[in-house]
């Protein structure tokens, strides 16, 4: 190995080690930026020496060129499925079966004939069984994702596949390599000294899934891009794994937990618990919520507890898996044709139900986004009464053809708002109509507009009561009007009590009105009024930003301020004029024009200006101006220099200073007490500078 190869190897080891700390131990030991620096160094070194790029380098997780089709992989040990138990009684029956086989020498446990328990009543025979030693179980969350198998040869990930029919699966190695929590090398092969007795082949099974948080974010991005959202995290994970283009998979928030050993060469374990611990020490992520339970009673308690906790878990589960811990006992129990006798899935109550869409309401969010919401005939879904479901947007309604009166299948997924999965067309009554979102806002009657390439329609009126709180919050925020102490809760109170209806109303508040609010001391009220007062003096850019025009962020607000100088100029700007500005594209230009077309918006702005808001225009940009040949006049009292010094400065830049203002005067520099010269300059439209502005101009 030359020095470059050594450095590459060292970097890969370090990165893989930090992945382990982050994904498996949940205890990162370096910051994100330090990690990024290591990663970049590796990327750079590899791009200088592509001949040394290895498929198991951490840089190779970004995906590979698209495939025509997936190949197949035969599982060395079939991937079985699990028998289901729907309740506590069935879990106890499973335990009885297990004990009976393990306690009986008569049963031929390796046969496919399952021993039968004919009655759940405690016969004397079963009582005896209960008296005997309890079985040790391992209880695990039953993740609602996709089962996969990973094959490591000499510690290196060589193959990854789906379960398929249990015998053969699809070869999705390239996709699985992009999943960050899947180690590309097991830790026993990572460092120079190989651990003694490390296995030559390790085949593990586990679940690929997407956490609830990642799912919400993923769907949000898809909706924003006008793509159909996934119905649930499981579908999202399945769709991501089945991509022929692994670079798409790489962008999906897929996670992996390992839960079984399929096959191992060169090592064995006495128990499942020991196997999981070892797999974890080799760098495979193992669900921290797994528990060892002594006896079926504790395992059942785990099942009930997890069902209670289901909503608050970061990932979706549809039950628990209860597994016999001892390897010897597992072997004695054996398997039926499709499922092992040593494990059972304790399923939770269904999270889907059918019901009728009674009405569809267009609800308006804090940003004006219109979301269609189905009102449902109340139905119990997994223990929770559901009477509403989100329909996302018009495209989604069209795609699923959801109509008022339809019978629909709904699903409740974790803490996500219930969704309509599909319409049961057989049950559609006669005379239904396709649903269309209204063209005016149901709250304020303002126009609803859906930009051409967006999925979301929005109410355009800034005084729309539905949006008003969000808008006020934005207006008051640090980077716009900076009204200290005016937070979310206070805004709620002010709007709910009817003291304010829009941002302009803030300026008509007084201490008396504010202290009439519940739990509002006079001192706090007067602090708020002071803060509102001081916000009156602000810059044009901050005010523009504070208006919350769609697509106009802080930077663009600054650009618009320096381009237009006066608010009225911006308000009257035509589409073309806006589009001529470098940083303004057609979508932005349109949303600006639309904003200032609304009478309501204009009224609010006028009300702000009437209440004494002063908008300081941006300082002129002197750097591009030519000064030679320009004429200056000075008036009023000057504090940092004398008239004479001023004259010398002007001459030094090639201009000249005169005493009276005429149409030939380019600049009037006015100090305090300026009189008739200032009046005349204003009449003539001469540029008027303060002393400071003059100095800046000269310096430039
Ligand atoms: S063990 C022979 N453990 O459930 C036992 N499976 O119906 C093999 N699953 O296809 C599975 N979480 O997708 C096991 N902790 C867990 C699991 C789990 C989810 C899924 C897996 C499998 C299905 C079996």
């Amino acid at each position: 190995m030359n020095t470059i190869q050594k450095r590459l190897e060292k970097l890969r080891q370090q990165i893989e080690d930090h992945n382990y700390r982050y994904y498996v131990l949940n205890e990162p030991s370096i910051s994100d930026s330090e990690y990024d620096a290591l990663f970049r160094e590796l990327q750079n070194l590899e791009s200088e020496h592509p001949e040394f790029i290895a498929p198991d380098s951490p840089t190779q997780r970004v995906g590979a060129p698209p495939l025509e089709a997936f190949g197949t992989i035969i599982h060395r040990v079939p991937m079985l499925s699990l028998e289901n138990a729907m309740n506590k009684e069935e879990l106890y029956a499973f335990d009885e079966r297990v004990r009976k086989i393990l306690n009986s020498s008569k049963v031929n446990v390796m046969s496919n004939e399952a021993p039968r328990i004919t009655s759940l009543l405690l016969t004397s025979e079963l009582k005896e069984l209960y008296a005997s030693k309890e079985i040790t179980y391992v209880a695990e969350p039953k993740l609602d994702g996709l089962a996969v198998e990973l094959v490591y040869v000499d510690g290196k990930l060589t193959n990854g596949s789906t379960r398929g029919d249990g015998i053969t699966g699809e070869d999705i190695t390239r996709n699985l390599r992009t999943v960050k929590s899947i180690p590309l090398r097991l830790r026993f092969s990572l460092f120079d000294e190989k651990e003694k007795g490390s296995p030559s082949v390790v085949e593990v099974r586990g679940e690929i899934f997407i956490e609830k948080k990642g799912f919400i974010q993923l769907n949000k991005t898809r909706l924003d891009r006008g793509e159909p959202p996934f119905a649930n995290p499981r579908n999202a994970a399945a769709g991501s794994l089945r991509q022929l283009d692994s670079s798409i998979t790489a962008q999906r928030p897929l996670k992996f937990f390992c839960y079984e050993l399929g096959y191992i060469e060169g090592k064995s374990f006495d128990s499942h618990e020991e196997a999981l611990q070892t797999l974890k020490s080799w760098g495979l992520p193992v669900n921290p919520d797994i528990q060892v339970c002594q006896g079926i009673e504790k395992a059942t308690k785990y099942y009930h507890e997890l069902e209670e906790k289901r909503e608050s878990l970061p990932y979706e589960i549809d039950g628990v898996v209860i597994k016999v811990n001892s390897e010897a006992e597992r072997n004695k129990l054996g398997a039926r044709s499709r499922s092992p006798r040593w494990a059972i899935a304790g399923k939770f109550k269904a999270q889907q139900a059918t019901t009728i869409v009674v009405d569809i309401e267009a609800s308006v969010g804090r940003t004006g986004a219109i979301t269609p919401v189905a009102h449902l005939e109340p139905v119990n879904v997994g223990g929770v009464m559901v009477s509403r479901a989100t329909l996302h947007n018009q495209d989604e309604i069209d795609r699923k053809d959801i109509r008022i009166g339809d019978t629909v299948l709904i699903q409740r997924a974790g803490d996500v708002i219930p969704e309509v999965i599909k319409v049961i067309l057989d049950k559609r009554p006669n005379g239904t109509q396709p649903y269309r979102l209204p063209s005016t806002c149901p709250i304020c009657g303002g126009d609803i507009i859906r930009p051409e390439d967006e999925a979301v329609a929005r109410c355009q009126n800034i005084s729309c009561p539905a949006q008003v709180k969000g808008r006020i919050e934005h207006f008051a925020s640090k980077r716009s009007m900076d009204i200290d102490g005016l937070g979310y809760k206070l805004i709620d109170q002010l709007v709910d009590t009817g003291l304010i209806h829009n941002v302009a109303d803030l300026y008509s508040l007084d201490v008396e009105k504010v202290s009439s609010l519940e739990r509002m001391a006079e001192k706090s009220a007067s602090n708020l009024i002071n803060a509102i007062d001081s916000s009156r003096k602000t810059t044009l850019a901050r005010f523009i930003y504070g208006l919350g025009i769609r697509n106009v962020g802080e930077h663009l607000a600054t650009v618009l301020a320096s381009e237009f100088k006066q608010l009225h100029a911006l308000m009257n700007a035509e589409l073309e004029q806006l589009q001529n500005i470098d940083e303004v594209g057609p979508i932005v230009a349109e949303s600006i024009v639309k904003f200032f077309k609304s009478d309501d918006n204009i009224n609010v702005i006028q009300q702000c200006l009437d209440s004494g808001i002063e908008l300081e225009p941006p300082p002129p940009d002197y750097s591009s101006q030519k000064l030679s040949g320009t004429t200056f006049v000075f008036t009023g009292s000057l504090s940092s220099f004398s008239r004479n010094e001023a004259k010398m400065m002007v001459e030094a830049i090639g201009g000249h200073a005169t005493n009276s203002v005429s149409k030939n005067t380019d600049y009037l520099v006015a100090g305090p007490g300026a009189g008739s010269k200032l009046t005349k300059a204003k009449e003539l439209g001469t540029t008027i500078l303060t002393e400071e502005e003059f100095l800046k101009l000269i310096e430039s």
Side-chain angles (χ1 to χ4, degrees), residues 239-278:
S240 306
L241 268 195
R242 290 197 28 252
Q243 286 291 335
L244 289 167
D245 182 349
S246 54
S247 67
I248 297 178
T249 314
Q251 292 160 30
R252 301 283 168 79
L254 296 172
K255 292 209 145 192
F256 174 73
F257 273 141
C258 171
Y259 51 60
E260 273 299 323
L261 189 63
Y263 173 83
I264 190 159
E265 225 169 78
K267 194 163 182 86
S268 66
F269 301 106
D270 290 340
S271 71
H272 183 50
E273 185 190 6
E274 188 195 338
L276 288 181
Q277 267 166 10
T278 310

Side-chain angles (χ1 to χ4, degrees), residues 33 194 232 239 278 364 380 515 518 532 541 546 570 643-644 697:
S33 60
K194 284 220 168 63
N232 53 49
T278 310
V364 192
N380 188 316
S515 41
E518 242 174 78
I532 293 175
L570 173 65
R643 292 282 152 100
N644 236 347
L697 176 65

Side-chain angles (χ1 to χ4, degrees), residues 80-82 140-143 147 163 207 259-260 321 323 340:
L80 298 181
S81 66
L82 292 168
E140 309 180 355
K142 186 167 185 298
L143 298 160
R163 176 168 176 270
E207 201 85 346
Y259 51 60
E260 273 299 323
V321 184
K323 302 173 177 174

Side-chain angles (χ1 to χ4, degrees), residues 85-97 100 116-127 129-130:
M86 302 314 290
N87 49 43
K88 178 181 173 179
E89 287 70 31
E90 292 180 8
L91 288 177
Y92 272 79
F94 160 75
D95 179 60
E96 280 166 18
R97 245 165 15 234
K100 191 153 191 199
R116 289 238 170 83
I117 304 262
T118 44
S119 162
L120 288 182
L121 291 176
L122 293 184
T123 60
S124 57
E125 191 190 351
L126 286 175
K127 272 185 191 150
L129 253 179
Y130 271 113

Side-chain angles (χ1 to χ4, degrees), residues 646-675:
K647 203 170 172 218
M648 278 156 51
M649 284 191 269
V650 167
E651 281 164 4
I653 57 164
H656 45 267
T658 62
N659 279 329
S660 57
V661 176
S662 74
K663 63 179 189 339
N664 295 326
T665 311
D666 296 298
Y667 296 99
L668 176 77
V669 182

